[in-house]
């Protein structure tokens, strides 16, 4: 019985693998055309000052509205884009779009763009980003680049050069998903970060409790000493917002405030916030 069972499982596994591979191949070829066909768009999620309730930044998050497959999440196609090198073209497009949108917002607001390691390694990467913001008419200090710890494992010399060059023009850097990878305080010491984003697994999920709270407190304490902003990601409830605020995080991001929304709704969030003097929680209800 065990043998038969085993063989069936193997077959099943095989089919699943083939299906995955086919889907990946499809995504790869379609992704190249998707930009031209206008299937991709950039959504924006507010990052809020936990003291004042004012919006400080919008994070640009890419969305793909596929004619047959429906809405694809970046977790599904960014890895494919990275493996195939399409991320270079895609990333350039995302940065340009995000910068154009941000140039329309009030000048105290910044935009955060996620960068893949491959984008940093591309020749002329720093110059490309500076050109994109110049073309959009966005001041360099209004652009923030979010990178993850995976960047430092290889090629840290190149990364440092890239970051120093852009920093010298005023572009800011945020360390994304902090606490999930090879979190090392060495990175914070060596690289010019203005902001640390504590991963949402410390805010919600199965391992929440005194330990995660103490970790957030320690990171927040370090942030305040080093004059860095500490962002809590994944805030979904008012209790979570209160907890991370008390723990010393300066900024918060999550569905409690708003999901990522298209640019016209981001503009509405901004004008509503300017009227009320603070962001309306669950602003995403604008989106219905
Ligand atoms: P990330 O940079 O850490 O972005 C935050 C992710 O958490 C987003 O997912 C966002 O929608 C989600 N999120 C925000 N608030 C909440 C919340 O309260 N609860 C929950 N459960 N989730 C929340 P998204 O948009 O699916 O993006 C996933 C990841 O894909 C991003 O993680 C980022 O690593 C990558 N990504 C997204 N857009 C881009 C892009 O333009 N370029 C690159 N290179 N990567 C991108
Ligand atoms: Mg991010
Ligand atoms: Mg993150
Ligand atoms: Mg992430």
């Amino acid at each position: 019985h065990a043998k038969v069972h085993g063989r069936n499982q193997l077959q099943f596994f095989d089919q699943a693998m083939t299906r995955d591979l086919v889907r990946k191949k499809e995504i790869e070829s379609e992704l190249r055309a998707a930009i031209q066909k206008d299937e991709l768009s950039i959504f924006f999620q507010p990052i809020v000052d936990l003291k004042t309730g004012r919006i400080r930044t919008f994070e640009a998050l890419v969305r793909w509205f596929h004619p047959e497959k429906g809405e694809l999440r970046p977790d599904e196609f960014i890895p494919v884009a990275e493996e195939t090198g399409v991320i270079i073209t895609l990333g350039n497009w995302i940065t340009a779009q995000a910068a154009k949108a941000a140039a329309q917002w009030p000048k105290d607001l910044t935009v955060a763009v996620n960068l893949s390691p491959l984008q940093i390694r591309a020749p002329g990467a720093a110059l490309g980003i500076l050109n994109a913001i110049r073309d959009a008419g966005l001041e360099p200090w209004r652009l923030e680049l979010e990178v993850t710890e995976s960047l430092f494992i290889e090629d840290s010399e190149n990364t440092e050069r890239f970051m120093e060059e852009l920093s010298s023009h005023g572009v800011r850097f945020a360390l994304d998903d902090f606490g999930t990878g090879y979190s090392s305080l060495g990175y914070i010491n060596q690289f010019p970060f203005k902001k640390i984003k504590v991963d949402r697994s410390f805010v919600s999920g199965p391992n929440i409790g005194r330990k995660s709270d103490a970790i957030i407190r320690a990171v927040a304490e370090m942030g305040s000493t080093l004059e860095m902003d500490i962002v809590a990601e994944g805030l979904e409830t008012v209790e979570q917002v209160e907890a991370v605020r008390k723990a010393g995080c300066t900024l918060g991001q999550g569905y409690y405030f708003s999901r990522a929304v298209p640019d016209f709704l981001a503009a509405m969030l901004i004008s509503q916030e300017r009227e009320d003097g603070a962001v309306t929680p669950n602003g995403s209800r604008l989106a219905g």
Side-chain angles (χ1 to χ4, degrees):
H1 281 80
K3 238 184 205 157
V4 173
H5 189 201
R7 187 175 298 151
N8 284 343
Q9 266 190 346
L10 198 67
Q11 243 172 33
F12 179 74
F13 184 59
D14 226 43
Q15 279 168 5
M17 262 179 48
T18 310
R19 220 173 28 238
D20 272 7
L21 208 68
V22 168
R23 190 174 166 93
K24 217 164 103 177
K25 280 279 158 211
E26 276 173 17
I27 288 177
E28 175 185 347
S29 60
E30 290 171 357
L31 194 50
R32 294 179 191 275
I35 302 176
Q36 266 79 41
K37 290 196 289 184
D38 236 22
E39 291 171 13
L40 293 166
S41 103
I42 310 295
F43 276 34
F44 298 93
Q45 186 180 34
I47 300 177
V48 176
D49 188 316
L50 292 174
K51 273 211 187 97
T52 62
R54 308 292 306 248
I55 300 172
R56 290 259 300 265
T57 304
F58 281 93
E59 179 173 7
L61 295 161
V62 66
R63 298 286 179 262
W64 183 2
F65 298 93
H66 191 283
E68 284 110 42
K69 294 189 180 75
E71 183 184 336
L72 296 177
R73 276 296 181 127
D75 287 334
E76 202 161 1
F77 62 89
I78 291 286
V80 181
E82 286 173 342
E83 278 170 49
T84 55
V86 183
I87 191 68
I88 304 295
T89 313
L90 182 60
N92 289 340
W93 181 82
I94 291 166
T95 307
Q97 296 300 306
K100 270 188 224 159
Q104 309 298 314
W105 303 337
K107 290 223 186 290
D108 56 318
L109 296 177
T110 60
V111 66
V113 175
N114 293 283
L115 285 192
S116 295
L118 215 62
Q119 286 178 262
I120 289 166
R121 251 171 259 149
L127 196 63
I129 288 168
L130 291 172
N131 286 338
I133 53 178
R134 196 204 45 218
D135 291 349
L138 188 76
E139 298 84 346
W141 55 89
R142 295 182 60 200
L143 178 70
E144 257 169 49
L145 299 173
E146 295 193 3
V147 300
T148 59
E149 292 151 348
S150 64
L151 198 64
F152 306 111
I153 295 162
E154 39 190 289
D155 214 9
S156 77
E157 216 170 280
N158 184 44
T159 300
E160 192 168 4
R161 215 177 311 120
F162 174 86
M163 288 181 69
E164 292 294 351
E165 180 170 358
L166 286 168
S167 290
S168 75
H169 286 87
V171 173
R172 302 176 201 195
F173 284 89
L175 186 52
D176 204 356
D177 302 342
F178 185 71
T180 56
Y182 303 81
S183 308
S184 155
L185 300 181
Y187 304 142
I188 296 168
N189 194 26
Q190 188 184 350
F191 299 99
F193 287 110
K194 292 267 191 283
K195 193 183 263 188
I196 295 173
K197 302 185 77 178
V198 180
D199 191 69
R200 98 175 118 86
S201 57
F202 292 91
V203 171
S204 63
N207 302 315
I208 294 309
R210 278 182 48 222
K211 256 195 192 170
S212 53
D213 193 58
I215 293 169
I216 293 186
R217 270 175 207 283
V219 177
E221 169 87 37
M222 176 185 74
S224 113
T225 309
L226 298 178
E227 295 180 324
M228 298 167 87
D229 272 311
I230 306 298
V231 190
E233 297 186 312
L235 301 175
E236 295 185 357
T237 67
V238 68
E239 290 80 14
Q240 290 168 346
V241 172
E242 274 314 298
V244 299
R245 201 182 52 74
K246 279 202 196 104
C249 293
T250 51
L251 301 172
Q253 176 179 10
Y255 298 165
Y256 172 75
F257 296 113
S258 173
R259 288 180 185 257
V261 295
D263 57 359
F264 72 95
L265 283 179
M268 280 180 67
L269 275 179
I270 295 168
S271 42
Q272 203 172 57
E273 185 251 42
R274 303 279 133 158
E275 255 175 52
D276 299 349
V279 76
T280 315
N282 302 308
S284 62
R285 68 189 153 78
L286 284 172

